[in-house]
Amino acid sequence: MAKNIQSLERAAAMLRLLAGGERRLGLSDIASSLGLAKGTAHGILRTLQAEGFVEQDNASGRYQLGAELLRLGNSYLDVHELRARALVWTDDLARSSGESVHLGVLHQHGVLVIHHVFRPDDSRQVLEVGAMQPLHSTALGKVLSAYDPVAHSEVMEIDRKAFTPRTVTAPDDFEELLDLTRARGWAADLEETWEGVASVAAPIHDRRRMPVGAVAITGAVERVCDRGELRSELVAAVRETARAVSRDLGAGRF
């Protein structure tokens, strides 16, 4: 059995200690509570402070939890609230469209699939929750890149690989594509990532009117498209689902 890393265990214990009780503790209090030498405790605290997980009060010298933990905690809650709010709506979308539905969020220069509803037929399908999709070619990625400033910065910095002859990679052309996405409120992927596969996605906003994710329908080109264009009823259904989830997150009407 693999051994736990002692320094990480001690750091986690410090964070739990600071999360309870008085919230602000001095070095001696922390060291004695955890049975550590002051030098050892101070070294761990300095590392946590450098990463933003711990802050030190200048006047008293006492330590408390840092803002970075709050940011990470909010990110965790946002993702799980998004998925929880979207469950019923994405199920309905898959049932009405007859296609698979994906819910995605920005993560590590790509799109993380946090929810996947299978196409409602008897075909063999693979659950894609936890899978990563590219920002620049997928409908989910283009929506996030168009509406989220962080995603936009990241997609312009990465190597935009051409997965198929249809993939848009040139910076100016890609910016035009994002302008179009913002103008019409949805993004398309017409065989830009996978041959024979098309997708349409729309953005989801939270109570602060900030983009927190995107929802998409994905399916075979011959089912999702009509005469080379995405079927209008599917575009409308995806946009309505995104608006419904946004309203449930407190965004109001879009």
Side-chain angles (χ1 to χ4, degrees):
M1 181 182 294
K3 293 183 178 179
N4 292 339
I5 300 174
Q6 188 179 55
S7 59
L8 291 179
E9 289 182 329
R10 289 171 171 174
M14 282 185 185
L15 294 175
R16 292 192 187 99
L17 181 64
L18 291 170
E22 298 178 20
R23 298 298 178 94
R24 286 187 179 181
L25 296 171
L27 175 60
S28 296
D29 297 325
I30 294 171
S32 61
S33 295
L34 300 178
L36 300 174
K38 282 188 178 180
T40 300
H42 187 243
I44 296 172
L45 284 167
R46 282 177 63 86
T47 301
L48 291 172
Q49 186 178 0
E51 295 297 328
F53 296 137
V54 164
E55 296 173 355
Q56 187 178 27
D57 181 66
N58 291 330
S60 66
R62 290 175 173 265
Y63 293 90
Q64 64 185 24
L65 294 180
E68 183 65 11
L69 277 177
L70 178 62
R71 188 189 70 80
L72 292 176
N74 283 339
S75 175
Y76 174 86
L77 292 173
D78 285 348
V79 167
H80 284 264
E81 183 181 6
L82 171 60
R83 184 178 182 277
R85 297 287 185 179
L87 286 176
V88 172
W89 297 109
T90 51
D91 282 350
D92 287 346
L93 181 59
R95 185 163 46 251
S96 64
S97 67
E99 300 296 341
S100 64
V101 174
H102 295 89
L103 193 67
V105 297
L106 177 66
H107 181 69
Q108 294 181 350
H109 306 288
V111 182
L112 174 67
V113 177
I114 63 170
H115 186 51
H116 174 200
V117 185
F118 283 164
R119 184 172 64 255
D121 59 21
D122 295 329
S123 63
R124 184 174 180 177
Q125 300 172 64
V126 177
L127 186 65
E128 296 179 32
V129 172
M132 292 291 293
Q133 295 186 3
L135 275 175
H136 69 287
S137 61
T138 61
L140 288 171
K142 281 184 275 190
V143 161
L144 293 173
S145 299
Y147 287 90
D148 186 334
V150 175
H152 181 266
S153 296
E154 292 185 357
V155 77
M156 297 310 295
E157 293 172 359
I158 63 173
D159 177 23
R160 292 179 296 280
K161 176 182 176 182
F163 297 107
T164 76
R166 294 174 176 263
T167 310
V168 177
T169 60
D172 290 345
D173 293 340
F174 188 73
E175 285 285 14
E176 287 184 12
L177 196 57
L178 297 186
D179 288 340
L180 176 62
T181 297
R182 286 186 287 267
R184 63 189 183 184
W186 54 275
D189 171 4
L190 300 178
E191 298 187 274
E192 295 172 55
T193 310
W194 302 282
E195 295 281 1
V197 177
S199 182
V200 56
I204 296 171
H205 297 79
D206 66 5
R207 61 185 62 85
R208 298 161 296 176
R209 296 288 181 115
M210 297 295 291
V212 292
V215 61
I217 282 175
T218 302
V221 171
E222 59 267 23
R223 295 195 307 268
V224 177
C225 297
D226 182 21
R227 298 179 183 178
E229 298 290 336
L230 286 162
R231 288 164 48 199
S232 59
E233 66 270 24
L234 294 183
V235 174
V238 169
R239 296 190 69 191
E240 180 52 39
T241 296
R243 285 192 288 263
V245 178
S246 297
R247 287 195 297 269
D248 277 1
L249 289 171
R253 296 192 63 84
F254 268 84

